[in-house]
Amino acid sequence: MMNEARFDPGEVAAPEAVGLCSRRLERLDDLFRGYVDNGDMAGAATLIARRGRVAHLGTFGMAHREEGRPTAPDTLFRIASMTKPITSVAVMMLVEEGRLVLTDPVERHLPEFADAKVLEQVGEEGAFRLVDPKQPLTVRHLLTHTSGLTYGQGHGVLDSYYRVANVTGSFGGPEPLSAVVSRIGRVPLLCHPGERWEYSYSTDVLGRLIEVASGADLAEFFQTRVFDPLGMADTHFFLPPEKAARLARVYGKSDAGGLEWFAAEYPCEGPTAYLSGGAGLTSSILDYARFLQMMLDRGTLNGERILGPRTVDQVTANHVGEGVATHGPGFGFALGFDVHLDAGLSGSPKGIGSYAWGGYWHTGFWVDPAAELFVITMTQLFPSDHVRTGEQVPPLVYQALLD
């Protein structure tokens, strides 16, 4: 259902006004307070919106313990792979304009992919050969992470190709996107396009595709076509100096069991040329709420239309077949989001058709169109395997629904 009222994520309604129970939502607060009090995370922010209104906005602990700076609604977080859905939406904006077609071979726009090969195993002795792909690598393969690209880790001999090509992490760098993607285009594919889901540099390549198709660099396209229309004033690849003090620090468990600062200087220091469509943005929980409300309202926010309603339906539908495993039973993959398909297989309380994604530093969200709901959680934690918020938060949200 499209929201008719103006959406302001800073205005928090009474939970009961949108069918949530205040008392039951205290369980969500207790969860995050417990993690902070136990020293498992330094701080966090949570947001629940339903029927076009924010009904819960929680802030916990410290964004910067050494400075004694608490987490606030305008605290800035490195959202890492939560950049990917924004990049996917930008691609679909260009599809709507006829500048891209989902079935376009990538080489039509990026010639560096014209000679793509697949690294194919031969026999049982670990020998490999390079073969032509069975079908062209397309824009849709990039959007669904079925391109055959990887992140250059965990795939044996293929990883050496990434190292030789000097394709490294997605968190900033001294070279422009064009230079890095040119080298990605020379790396063999893990599999034939469309045959396997593999998390990868696909969305970084999509960022370069946006630049070529639009004639603007990725930061400019995002700013003028997405952030400005949606009022996302605090979402950036690299922070203006005056906003650096609002950035949360990343913490991780020390060998002694406590929390220690994890040295992640980007996006305030270091080279700032690489615009990673896969992992480069920093945002606030309020800014990201604007993006998700636009998605929940099928492409529009406060009178600004970003995508057509049918395009949003296409973006959030499952695009991979049963033989293409994603990251868990009961889930498929849309164009930049995972999508919940089967509660019996997943065990998740999320509504069927809910779509979601998360980020490297332990940020995450999901949107449940059937419940007219979205949820965002943001922390800055690495590694994060000692907390279980991904499993715990959905039941705590749905047990608070009154209808």
Side-chain angles (χ1 to χ4, degrees):
M1 179 184 300
M2 188 188 305
N3 172 43
E4 298 294 337
R6 187 170 184 84
F7 178 72
D8 183 346
E11 293 184 3
V12 181
E16 282 74 14
V18 293
L20 288 161
C21 175
S22 301
R23 180 177 56 81
R24 282 178 165 263
L25 281 176
E26 292 175 3
R27 298 171 181 174
L28 180 65
D29 292 341
D30 290 343
L31 174 72
F32 282 91
R33 286 196 192 101
Y35 276 131
V36 170
D37 292 346
N38 292 335
D40 292 316
M41 62 176 63
T46 57
L47 185 148
I48 303 172
R50 194 173 193 218
R51 295 173 181 158
R53 303 170 75 183
V54 172
H56 166 89
L57 179 60
T59 56
F60 311 93
M62 294 290 171
H64 195 306
R65 296 197 310 170
E66 291 73 17
E67 293 181 356
R69 176 160 45 87
T71 306
D74 68 347
T75 292
L76 300 174
F77 297 84
R78 303 160 185 83
I79 64 171
S81 286
M82 280 170 58
T83 305
K84 288 180 170 70
I86 296 175
T87 303
S88 296
V89 164
V91 169
M92 296 306 292
M93 294 169 73
L94 294 171
V95 169
E96 287 190 330
E97 294 170 6
R99 302 192 195 193
L100 294 172
V101 175
L102 291 184
T103 54
D104 277 349
V106 174
E107 66 184 80
R108 177 174 295 173
H109 306 278
L110 301 177
E112 52 265 49
F113 286 85
D115 296 320
K117 300 292 183 182
V118 177
L119 192 68
E120 190 175 83
Q121 186 170 351
V122 180
E124 302 295 329
E125 303 301 321
F128 292 84
R129 65 183 178 187
L130 294 176
V131 301
D132 291 330
K134 295 177 183 177
Q135 61 176 315
L137 169 61
T138 67
V139 175
R140 186 167 174 268
H141 291 137
L142 293 173
L143 284 162
T144 57
H145 287 281
T146 58
S147 63
L149 295 173
T150 78
Y151 263 128
Q153 298 178 344
H155 297 288
V157 66
L158 182 60
D159 296 352
S160 64
Y161 282 90
Y162 280 87
R163 289 193 294 270
V164 169
N166 193 27
V167 178
T168 55
S170 295
F171 303 129
E175 295 181 290
L177 182 59
S178 57
V180 178
V181 169
S182 179
R183 294 201 299 274
I184 292 174
R186 299 197 295 268
V187 176
L189 304 177
L190 173 68
C191 60
H192 294 277
E195 289 189 349
R196 173 174 171 178
W197 189 91
E198 181 70 29
Y199 205 41
S200 71
Y201 283 110
S202 289
T203 317
D204 286 64
V205 176
L206 287 172
R208 178 58 184 156
L209 202 62
I210 291 166
E211 293 186 332
V212 170
S214 71
D217 76 24
L218 191 60
E220 178 185 354
F221 188 93
F222 279 179
Q223 191 66 50
T224 59
R225 299 293 305 277
V226 181
F227 301 155
D228 287 346
L230 295 181
M232 296 173 66
D234 279 333
T235 304
H236 307 276
F237 278 108
F238 303 104
L239 289 182
E242 64 271 18
K243 294 186 179 183
R246 289 164 49 197
L247 180 66
R249 271 193 161 181
V250 178
Y251 293 91
K253 282 286 190 179
S254 69
D255 292 340
L259 286 178
E260 62 182 0
W261 171 47
F262 185 96
E265 285 86 4
Y266 98 94
C268 296
E269 300 177 16
T272 58
Y274 186 65
L275 304 175
S276 170
L281 290 175
T282 296
S283 190
S284 69
I285 203 165
L286 299 179
D287 256 25
Y288 211 85
R290 293 177 181 274
F291 175 74
L292 294 184
Q293 186 65 48
M294 176 275 295
M295 293 295 296
L296 188 57
D297 281 345
R298 297 180 72 208
T300 188
L301 181 77
N302 297 338
E304 295 285 347
R305 180 158 293 283
I306 303 300
L307 289 177
R310 298 300 177 89
T311 305
V312 174
D313 295 344
Q314 183 183 23
V315 167
T316 57
N318 182 43
H319 282 256
V320 297
E322 292 184 4
V324 180
T326 59
H327 72 285
F331 290 91
F333 202 77
L335 301 181
F337 307 80
D338 77 13
V339 58
H340 189 207
L341 302 176
D342 190 324
L345 290 176
S346 70
S348 173
K350 296 176 183 177
I352 301 304
S354 295
Y355 52 94
W357 206 241
Y360 185 81
W361 309 108
H362 207 60
T363 61
F365 73 85
W366 80 88
V367 179
D368 186 338
E372 302 172 77
L373 170 92
F374 68 82
V375 179
I376 312 171
T377 62
M378 289 191 175
T379 63
Q380 297 283 261
L381 187 64
F382 181 83
S384 59
D385 51 4
H386 60 285
V387 302
R388 302 177 61 201
T389 54
E391 302 165 81
Q392 294 168 305
V393 170
L396 292 177
V397 171
Y398 286 100
Q399 59 87 33
L401 286 178
L402 297 175
D403 54 26

